[in-house]
Amino acid sequence: MKWLVSLVGAGLVMVSLRDLFHTLWHPTHHGGLSRLVMTVLWRLARRIRARRRVVGLVGPLAMVTVVGMWTGTVVIGWAVVYWPHMPEAFTVSPGSEAAQESALLDSLYLSLVTVATLGLGDIAPAEGWLRLISPLEALVGFALLTATVSWVLEIYPALTRRRVLAIRLALLRDADPATGQLDSTAGALLLDSLATEVVRIRIDFTQYAEAYYFHDGDDHSSLAATVGFAAALAQRGQTARRPEVRLAGDLLAGALADLAAILDQRFLHTGGPPEEVFAAYATDHGRSGAPS
C-alpha cells in the first residue's frame, strides 16, 4: 500500500513535467493543462463587463497561474511519495520540532524546501532510494525555475513581432496605397516583406500558442484590428499588371490563408474562409471586426 501511494505521487510529478515539456519544448507546444488554464481564464475575462482592462491581464496572469500549477503539482506529488515512509525512513536533526508534526505536514515541508533547493537539513532521507530521489526533486525545482525564465524570454519577443506587424499594417492603412501605387518594384518588395512577417507570426502562434491570450492594446498595435487590411493589400497586388507584384500578392494571400488556418484550428473553430476567421479573431480580441 505504501508503494502504491508513492506511485500515485510519482504520477502527479510526471503529469506536471509532461505538461511543462509540451508547453515549452515540444515543437508544436501542445500543453494540455496549461492550455486549458489559459483558455478558461481568457473566456472568463471576456464575460466581465469591464473586460478591456481585465483581458489585458489575462496573458501574464495565466503564465503565473500555470507556473504555480506546475510547482504545486510537483511539490504535492513528491510529498505524496514521501508521505507513506514518514518518519521511519527519515532522520530528524536533534532539537527539531519536525517530528512533532503530522507525517503529511512533514512531507509537504520536506518537498517544498527540496524543490526550492534550500536544503535546510532538519529532515533528511535515511533509506537509499529516498536519498537518490530527493536530489532529483531539487533538480526538478531548478528546471522549473529555468523553464519559467526561458518561457518569459521566448514569449515576449513573439509578442513584439506581432505588434510590429500590426503597427506597420496600421500605418499602411492610414496611407491607403492604391493598386497603381503598389504596381511597382517597391510595391512587390512591400508585399513580399509583409508575407514574410505574416509567416513569422504564423510560426509564433504554432510554437507559442499562449501568445494568443495576450491582449495587444489599442487598435494601432493590435493585429486583430489590422490583419484584414493585409488581405486587402494582397487582393490589390493580385490585380496589378506587373508579374512580380502579382506573385508577391499571391504570396501574401497564401501566408494569410495559412495564418487563418492556424488561428481557426487552434483557437476559433469557425470552419470558415480566412475573412470569417479574421473577423472572429477581431471579435475575440474585443474588436468590432476585421477591417477591409
Side-chain angles (χ1 to χ4, degrees):
M1 185 63 182
K2 288 184 177 182
W3 292 105
L4 181 60
V5 174
S6 294
L7 286 175
V8 171
L12 287 174
V13 174
M14 294 305 298
V15 166
S16 180
L17 293 180
R18 180 192 178 280
D19 191 69
L20 185 150
F21 172 78
H22 278 270
T23 301
L24 272 67
W25 295 307
H26 194 273
T28 57
H29 286 217
H30 277 158
L33 294 176
S34 58
R35 178 71 175 278
L36 177 62
V37 168
M38 291 186 168
T39 303
V40 169
L41 288 176
W42 179 260
R43 290 178 179 175
L44 287 175
R46 291 186 66 241
R47 293 177 181 272
I48 297 176
R49 183 171 298 178
R51 68 179 188 179
R52 281 269 301 219
R53 296 179 181 178
V54 177
V55 167
L57 300 174
V58 170
L61 179 61
M63 291 184 72
V64 171
T65 303
V66 169
V67 172
M69 177 189 68
W70 289 337
T71 305
T73 305
V74 167
V75 169
I76 293 173
W78 238 286
V80 173
V81 172
Y82 299 144
W83 180 31
H85 311 280
M86 184 72 69
E88 61 271 10
F90 296 84
T91 58
V92 180
S93 61
S96 173
E97 297 183 0
Q100 301 175 13
E101 305 293 343
S102 68
L104 179 58
L105 183 60
D106 283 344
S107 299
L108 284 170
Y109 165 75
L110 175 62
S111 180
L112 187 58
V113 298
T114 304
V115 81
T117 65
L118 293 176
L120 298 180
D122 50 346
I123 303 179
E127 293 189 1
W129 70 276
L130 286 170
R131 295 175 67 183
L132 288 176
I133 69 165
S134 184
L136 183 61
E137 183 182 7
L139 290 176
V140 170
F142 182 76
L144 277 171
L145 175 61
T146 305
T148 301
V149 174
S150 300
W151 199 17
V152 173
L153 293 178
E154 286 176 349
I155 191 65
Y156 280 97
L159 295 175
T160 299
R161 288 189 291 270
R162 191 171 78 193
R163 287 163 184 165
V164 167
L165 174 59
I167 292 173
R168 190 180 182 194
L169 288 172
L171 294 173
L172 285 169
R173 183 180 58 190
D174 294 340
D176 196 20
T179 303
Q181 293 175 294
L182 291 175
D183 197 6
S184 62
T185 302
L189 293 174
L190 171 65
L191 295 176
D192 183 70
S193 65
L194 287 175
T196 300
E197 290 187 52
V198 170
V199 170
R200 289 197 185 103
I201 301 306
R202 182 261 191 220
I203 294 173
D204 286 339
F205 276 125
T206 302
Q207 294 189 335
Y208 312 111
E210 57 274 13
Y212 181 86
Y213 304 105
F214 279 75
H215 196 258
D216 286 328
D218 57 35
D219 288 350
H220 197 66
S221 61
S222 171
L223 184 64
T226 59
V227 68
F229 187 72
L233 288 176
Q235 291 175 354
R236 295 176 193 179
Q238 289 174 310
T239 59
R241 291 180 299 174
R242 289 175 176 259
E244 65 269 25
V245 179
R246 292 199 300 271
L247 176 60
D250 290 339
L251 289 175
L252 179 55
L256 288 168
D258 199 22
L259 173 62
I262 291 296
L263 288 172
D264 201 42
Q265 176 188 355
R266 294 288 187 91
F267 311 104
L268 299 170
H269 312 295
T270 67
E275 295 80 9
E276 183 179 339
V277 173
F278 289 141
Y281 177 41
T283 301
D284 199 38
H285 279 253
R287 313 299 167 184
S288 57
S292 58

